[in-house]
Amino acid sequence: MKKSLLMLPIFTVVLAASALIIGCEQRNESVNEEVVEEETVVVEETEPSPEPTAPAHEVKIETGERSPAFPGAKTRFTSLKDGDVLEDPNVSVVLNVESYQLGVQTDTDRAKEIANSEKGQHAHIILDNDPYMADYEAGKPFEIGVLEEGPHTLVVFPSRSYHESVKSSEAAQIVNFYVGKEAGEFMLDNTKPTIIYSRPKGEYKGDDSKKIMLDFYLNNVELGDDGYKAKYTITRKDSDDQLGTITMTEWTPAFVTGLTSGEYVITLQLLDKDGNVVEGSFNNTERVITVETE
């Protein structure tokens, strides 16, 4: 009986120590679980917001400087004069060119940057505000075509091999004439402010489509901040969506980039100081061009 009584305190101590150890282990496990949960919250990462992407194609129109001048350059019709009445509707003209050479390449860097004619420098001949015809040889008959009876207008001015006009008041000539009979009103009054559409024209493929020149000729008008202005507008054909526009206060070419494959309407207008289109058949002109980037 005494032996049992002596062992009781020892057994009790052992039980108490075991309980204490188990309790500590449980508390440690609980603390570890809380630490893990806190660490999980800390290391969570959020995905970065995607950066905005620029449009694949952006149409830009920017003015450029004039190419080097050709002092004294002139183009003149030797076979036709103002007021002529032609009996034959099959019309041809002969050009005389001064201080300018047709059929040679224009030696500037721009010739490598935009569409350039392999045939070289030439004259732009415009009949009744239609797209121009290119004459590469002075002194030889150039066929205009079979014309309807009545009044007609021919405009001619020298062009570089990459189709930029030679810009001076003496370079061009405008002739109003009749076919068949002297009757009717001419499209262009040589005494009034007039803007004459020249470029762009036709088709632009491959490298030629990357940078396209906008160019015009002025007659009896000067551009300025407080006066007349030239305005180009570009839209897709069969769409009212305006892709680009530029209003110019100096007589220089402009250049458009970013056009993708398709058909486009190019509008050229002469505006007065109040922003209204100046009266005249040539002063509000549309052309359709085709672009093939590949």
Side-chain angles (χ1 to χ4, degrees):
M1 188 69 177
K2 290 181 180 180
K3 184 179 180 180
S4 298
L5 289 174
L6 289 173
M7 293 181 62
L8 181 59
I10 296 174
F11 179 71
T12 301
V13 172
V14 171
L15 285 177
S18 300
L20 180 61
I21 292 171
I22 293 171
C24 289
E25 289 177 351
Q26 290 176 342
R27 283 196 299 272
N28 287 338
E29 289 175 359
S30 176
V31 171
N32 289 339
E33 288 176 358
E34 291 177 0
V35 171
V36 171
E37 289 178 358
E38 290 177 357
E39 289 177 353
T40 302
V41 172
V42 171
V43 299
E44 278 187 358
E45 295 183 359
T46 56
E47 294 184 0
S49 301
E51 296 182 1
T53 56
H57 297 278
E58 183 180 358
V59 176
K60 290 184 180 180
I61 309 175
E62 299 176 318
T63 58
E65 295 183 356
R66 288 190 189 184
S67 291
F70 285 89
K74 295 180 182 179
T75 49
R76 296 291 186 267
F77 297 113
T78 62
S79 58
L80 186 67
K81 63 181 183 297
D82 214 41
D84 277 353
V85 181
L86 307 182
E87 295 183 1
D88 188 351
N90 191 0
V91 177
S92 64
V93 293
V94 177
L95 282 184
N96 179 55
V97 179
E98 299 179 16
S99 302
Y100 196 73
Q101 186 177 358
L102 303 186
V104 299
Q105 290 295 318
T106 310
D107 186 17
T108 67
D109 290 340
R110 188 164 288 172
K112 304 179 183 68
E113 299 171 352
I114 59 176
N116 183 71
S117 173
E118 294 180 355
K119 296 180 181 180
Q121 297 180 162
H122 50 283
H124 284 191
I125 299 176
I126 298 171
L127 171 70
D128 297 339
N129 202 28
D130 288 337
Y132 72 81
M133 298 168 279
D135 188 356
Y136 291 87
E137 292 186 272
K140 295 184 178 182
F142 181 83
E143 294 295 327
I144 300 297
V146 179
L147 307 186
E148 295 181 356
E149 186 178 78
H152 294 279
T153 298
L154 274 177
V155 180
V156 61
F157 51 82
S159 165
R160 297 168 176 85
S161 60
Y162 43 87
H163 310 287
E164 182 183 341
S165 59
V166 175
K167 299 171 175 62
S168 74
S169 57
E170 296 83 20
Q173 184 184 26
I174 297 172
V175 174
N176 288 316
F177 65 100
Y178 302 93
V179 170
K181 62 180 181 180
E182 189 176 348
E185 185 176 350
F186 297 116
M187 292 182 67
L188 194 160
D189 186 338
N190 199 23
T191 66
K192 293 182 178 181
T194 304
I195 194 167
I196 300 165
Y197 187 110
S198 183
R199 297 285 286 187
K201 173 196 170 186
E203 296 182 345
Y204 294 81
K205 298 181 179 181
D207 289 342
D208 290 347
S209 69
K210 295 178 180 178
K211 183 177 181 181
I212 297 174
M213 184 179 66
L214 314 177
D215 196 42
F216 54 88
Y217 199 89
L218 294 175
N219 182 67
N220 203 38
V221 60
E222 291 186 6
L223 305 184
D225 293 331
D226 300 322
Y228 293 101
K229 298 175 179 63
K231 181 180 180 180
Y232 273 103
T233 305
I234 301 177
T235 60
R236 280 194 178 274
K237 189 179 178 183
D238 303 325
S239 172
D240 294 330
D241 294 337
Q242 189 179 107
L243 299 178
T245 185
I246 189 170
T247 300
M248 304 170 64
T249 58
E250 295 182 2
W251 189 7
T252 68
F255 300 90
V256 57
T257 57
L259 295 181
T260 56
S261 295
E263 290 186 302
Y264 297 88
V265 178
I266 314 296
T267 303
L268 174 64
Q269 297 170 312
L270 180 64
L271 308 181
D272 63 19
K273 62 182 180 63
D274 298 318
N276 301 312
V277 178
V278 178
E279 183 179 356
S281 299
F282 280 69
N283 292 333
N284 190 4
T285 301
E286 288 186 355
R287 294 279 190 270
V288 176
I289 66 168
T290 302
V291 173
E292 296 181 17
T293 58
E294 296 181 358

